[in-house]
Amino acid sequence: MSGEYGEIGALLGQDRKGYSLPQKLYVGEQAFAFDTQVMLPSVWLYACTVAHIKKPGDWFLFEMADNSVIVLRGRDGAVRAFFNSCQHRGARICEAQRGSSPKLICPYHQWTYNLDGSLLGARNMGPEFDKSTINLTPVAVENIGGLIFICLTDTPPPIDRVKADIAAQIAVYDLEHCKIAVQDDLIEDANWKLVMENNRECYHCDANHPELISCLGNSGFGKGLPEDGNAEASAEAHLLAKRGEWAALGIDHDLVEFPDGWWHRIARLPLVDGAVSQTMDGKVASTKLIGPFETPETSSLSIWTQPNSWHHFCCDHVVTFSLTPLAADKTLLRTSWLVHEDAIEGVDYDPANLSAVWRATNGQDGYLAALNHRGIRTDGYRQGPYAPEEKLVENFKEFYVAQSRAALDGVAT
Ligand code: FES
Ligand code: FE
C-alpha cells in the first residue's frame, strides 16, 4: 500500500454498521488527501447543469483540490469535459469560474484549442511539429437529462442505471430550456462528508429549518414515505392522495432508493397543503412555468446522488446543489436556481424570493455542519449511533466506505 495513505485502511476497518465514521476520517489531513486524490476521482461526480453552459463555447469549471476540469458546450451542442491543463507546458487555460469563447486560448504562450479539445494553433513550433497529435486530456462526462456528471479516472464505473432512471424522471423539466437565475457559492467550515451526511437526514429539520418546513412540511426528505416504514399516518395518507393527482399529470412514479447498490435516489414529495413551490409563501417564484406545466402543481421531485449532489424540481423552478471538498474542514456548496429561459428577472421572478428558502436552509445547515465538525475534533468524540430516520446517512457512509476500500485497493496494486 502507498505509505501516503497508510492510516486509511485501518480507519476504514473501524467502520461499524449503524454508527458514524471514526474521527480521523472526518477531520484528518490524510483522509482529506485520500478523498480528493483517490476516492472521489474514482466515482462519478455531479458538476453542473446544461443551463450553466447554454450556448456553444460556454464553459464552466469544476475544481476539486488539485484537479480542475473545463466542462463546455461544443459547436455541435454536445457537452464535453477536459482537464484544465495546457498540453504545451501545463498552464491552466481557464482561470475564471465560467466564461464563453469560440476557442480556448492558453494565456501563457497562446496555444489555441478547438472546443472539441483538438489543438488549432501553436506559434513557432518548427516544421516537425504535428499539431494533429495533440488534444486536451479528456474527462469522462455524461449529460443525464441536463444534469452533467464527470469522472476523473480513465476507467469510470458504470452509470447506465442512474442515467436511465434520472433522465426518465426529469425529462419533463426540460433543463435545456432553463437558465441560471441565481448561483450561491457557500463555503462551509466542515468536512465534505459531514455536509453530505447533514443533507441525508431530516432528523434535524423540525428544530432547525422553519423556512423549509413551511413549504415541505415535516414529512419530507429522510422520512415520511410509506416505503420507509416510519411515516406518520397523516403524512402517508396525504402522500397517497397526492399520488393520484400526479398519476393524472403523468408524473407519478415509485420511489427509487439506491437500487441494487446504485448511487441515486428519486422521490416525488408533496408540498404542504396549498403550496406549489419551495418558496416562503408556497406560491410560484417564477410565473413562467417550466416543462409542460400549464398550471402550478403541488409536488416537487427530488434527486439525491452519491457522493456529492442533490436537486429539487418544482413546476416553476429547479434548484441544484453540488458539493466539493476544499480542505479537511472546508467545503464548497454551490447552489443554483434555474428558471424558464424566457422568464424575465423583476417581471416573472424576484431572485431574492426565488432563493429565499434554500438560502436560509443552507445557512442553517452550514452552521450545523460546522458544529458537527468542531465537536468531532474533540477528544470526546466516539462513533455515534444513527436514528432510524438517518438511514440515508448510513447509505452514504456505506457508499463512502465501499468506494474507499475499492479505491485503496487500486492504489495498492
Ligand atoms: Fe499553454 Fe505554453 S503552457 S501555451
Ligand atoms: Fe438541513
Side-chain angles (χ1 to χ4, degrees), residues 1-9 12 30-31 33-42 153 155 402-413:
M1 182 190 304
S2 163
E4 213 177 333
Y5 306 116
E7 71 181 26
I8 301 301
L12 292 171
Q30 193 174 110
F34 173 77
D35 288 354
T36 54
Q37 293 168 16
V38 181
M39 189 290 232
L40 290 169
S42 76
T153 66
T155 53
Q403 296 299 326
S404 293
R405 287 196 170 122
L408 198 58
D409 286 348
V411 173
T413 53

Side-chain angles (χ1 to χ4, degrees), residues 50-351:
V50 289
H52 291 88
I53 48 168
K54 217 163 158 45
K55 309 183 306 294
D58 286 358
W59 51 264
F60 191 88
L61 292 191
F62 175 89
E63 307 210 72
M64 180 177 71
D66 289 342
N67 271 313
S68 177
V69 175
I70 306 166
V71 181
L72 61 74
R73 183 80 80 152
R75 283 186 194 286
D76 56 359
V79 176
R80 296 189 177 82
F82 304 97
F83 283 104
N84 188 12
S85 178
C86 179
Q87 299 299 291
H88 175 219
R89 283 172 44 215
R92 277 168 71 93
I93 298 168
C94 298
E95 260 301 81
Q97 207 265 307
R98 65 200 298 180
S100 190
S101 168
K103 304 184 271 276
L104 298 176
I105 303 172
C106 178
Y108 202 168
H109 314 93
Q110 290 74 51
W111 278 29
T112 303
Y113 299 88
N114 292 306
L115 298 176
D116 63 3
S118 60
L119 183 61
L120 175 66
R123 291 178 298 116
N124 304 336
M125 289 299 291
E128 302 298 306
F129 181 71
D130 180 5
K131 70 177 184 180
S132 72
T133 62
I134 295 178
N135 288 274
L136 291 175
T137 306
V139 171
V141 62
E142 288 282 357
N143 176 0
I144 302 183
L147 301 178
I148 298 170
F149 290 79
I150 60 171
C151 183
L152 301 178
T153 66
D154 293 338
T155 53
I159 195 170
D160 48 310
R161 175 81 181 264
V162 178
K163 196 170 177 177
D165 286 352
I166 293 180
Q169 294 303 328
I170 68 173
V172 292
Y173 294 95
D174 193 13
L175 294 186
E176 285 285 5
H177 291 103
C178 289
K179 66 176 181 181
I180 308 299
V182 184
Q183 179 179 306
D184 275 6
D185 284 3
L186 176 68
I187 295 176
E188 299 193 18
D189 295 323
N191 185 262
W192 72 275
K193 297 187 288 295
L194 296 172
V195 181
M196 281 300 294
E197 290 181 5
N198 174 72
N199 169 258
R200 296 298 141 104
E201 47 93 359
C202 237
Y203 194 30
H204 68 272
C205 290
D206 289 353
N208 292 284
H209 291 321
E211 298 83 0
L212 189 63
I213 295 293
S214 76
C215 61
L216 268 177
N218 60 3
S219 61
F221 299 131
K223 57 185 176 181
L225 296 175
E227 294 89 339
D228 291 342
N230 59 10
E232 291 168 18
S234 60
E236 186 169 333
H238 184 56
L239 176 65
L240 292 175
K242 287 289 179 188
R243 290 194 66 167
E245 289 178 26
W246 305 338
L249 287 168
I251 56 173
D252 187 38
H253 66 90
D254 290 333
L255 173 70
V256 175
E257 186 150 286
F258 305 110
D260 305 323
W262 285 88
W263 38 277
H264 60 300
R265 181 177 194 260
I266 310 172
R268 184 170 290 282
L269 299 170
L271 300 164
V272 294
D273 268 339
V276 292
S277 190
Q278 293 179 358
T279 51
M280 293 289 197
D281 60 6
K283 297 177 181 160
V284 290
S286 175
T287 52
K288 196 76 79 180
L289 301 185
I290 58 176
F293 300 106
E294 290 176 358
T295 54
E297 65 88 23
T298 60
S299 68
S300 55
L301 179 76
S302 295
I303 294 177
W304 298 261
T305 65
Q306 314 290 31
N308 81 319
S309 83
W310 58 95
H311 316 267
H312 304 297
F313 297 76
C314 299
C315 59
D316 65 321
H317 78 279
V318 174
V319 54
T320 76
F321 303 77
S322 76
L323 179 158
T324 44
L326 300 176
D329 63 351
K330 294 265 183 291
T331 301
L332 171 64
L333 176 65
R334 174 165 290 147
T335 309
S336 304
W337 288 263
L338 284 62
V339 295
H340 191 281
E341 63 188 359
D342 295 335
I344 299 168
E345 181 176 332
V347 176
D348 298 304
Y349 70 95
D350 165 14

Side-chain angles (χ1 to χ4, degrees), residues 18 201 203 230 384-394:
E201 47 93 359
Y203 194 30
N230 59 10
Y386 295 133
E389 66 190 83
E390 292 176 300
K391 66 173 190 166
L392 299 180
V393 180
E394 171 115 56

